[in-house]
Amino acid sequence: MYNDLFTIGNITVHGYGLMIGIGIIAAYLMTEHLAKKKAMDPDPVFSLLIFGVLGGIAGAKILYWITIFDEIIRDPAILWHSLTDGFVVYGGIIGGILAGYAVCRIKKISFWDYLDCATPSIALAQGFGRIGCFLAGCCYGMETDSWCAITFTNSQFAPNHVPLVPTQIFSSVFDFAHFVLLYVITRRSKVPGFTSSLYLIIYGVGRFVIEFFRGDLIRGSVGALSTSQFISIFIVAFGVVLMVKKLRDSKRDQIAQENTRDEEEKVENVKENH
């Protein structure tokens, strides 16, 4: 595909950057929309977006540097030369969430409530981001003779004139479907943290599977698994533990509220009898 979409004067609009920008704007609007639907204050959403993006970029870059640590030891100049490319999505997710947590602590607002509003938007942004990957040719798949193969002819990342598994498109479709599911659940769920835990589980499983079809081996590996597959195992496990905890906490709070109501009713009955 072609990453350079069009040029106006000295400015060239790149497909990857454009899709990232669209994803960020869509994520902001969707998070604000969900916050309003859940009767939450939408004002902190902008701060969460700005610091979440900055934390995400930093986290994605740091995790990428970790995956090529041996190369950096041999040639530290890679740190400077790789500032504008080379990012790992999991690092972005972790960095963005940590930045959002810091903002929520500072503003004294519920971290889990706002994260539940943000996680569908994260999946939405990822869907647009993978379209950008497709246009640029990064995050490409392995060679294949399948009917659904894609062949790049002008990519700076993927091997050109070679039929490849269209992992970017598969990932994008998965992310958009993930967004729809999380959106519906967020609107209905009354358990803080449930949507966030479900995001981690579904994304982790999906990422683990799609990694089998990736062809960009530069991302590093841990034994027989890619770095992302290795991280996915812990992400899914954490998501399951988090979901169980949040459901138990919600059940405990519900029982406590019912007990409180029962006690209040008893007090009212005693007053009426007197």
Side-chain angles (χ1 to χ4, degrees), residues 127-204:
F128 284 109
R130 287 306 182 188
I131 295 176
C133 293
F134 178 69
L135 294 174
C138 60
C139 306
Y140 55 88
M142 62 174 58
E143 294 185 30
T144 181
D145 56 1
S146 171
W147 63 270
C148 65
I150 184 71
T151 301
F152 293 93
T153 58
N154 191 36
S155 174
Q156 296 179 343
F157 303 98
N160 292 301
H161 309 291
V162 177
L164 303 172
V165 176
T167 49
Q168 308 96 327
I169 297 301
F170 293 159
S171 296
S172 183
V173 171
F174 166 76
D175 288 328
F176 285 132
H178 193 191
F179 155 70
V180 173
L181 175 63
L182 293 177
Y183 176 83
V184 172
I185 290 175
T186 300
R187 290 288 302 272
R188 298 178 179 179
S189 176
K190 298 185 182 300
V191 180
F194 182 82
T195 304
S196 301
S197 60
L198 187 62
Y199 167 84
L200 295 174
I201 294 169
I202 295 177
Y203 181 78

Side-chain angles (χ1 to χ4, degrees), residues 19-73:
M19 289 298 109
I20 293 296
I22 291 175
I24 291 174
I25 294 172
Y28 168 69
L29 295 175
M30 183 54 60
T31 304
E32 188 178 54
H33 163 75
L34 283 171
K36 291 178 180 178
K37 287 295 182 181
K38 294 176 75 68
M40 296 163 53
D41 182 6
D43 289 343
V45 172
F46 185 73
S47 297
L48 289 169
L49 170 74
I50 297 300
F51 288 99
V53 169
L54 293 176
I57 292 173
K61 174 55 63 179
I62 290 171
L63 188 54
Y64 172 72
W65 281 337
I66 291 174
T67 63
I68 60 169
F69 185 73
D70 291 343
E71 297 178 32
I72 293 175
I73 293 298

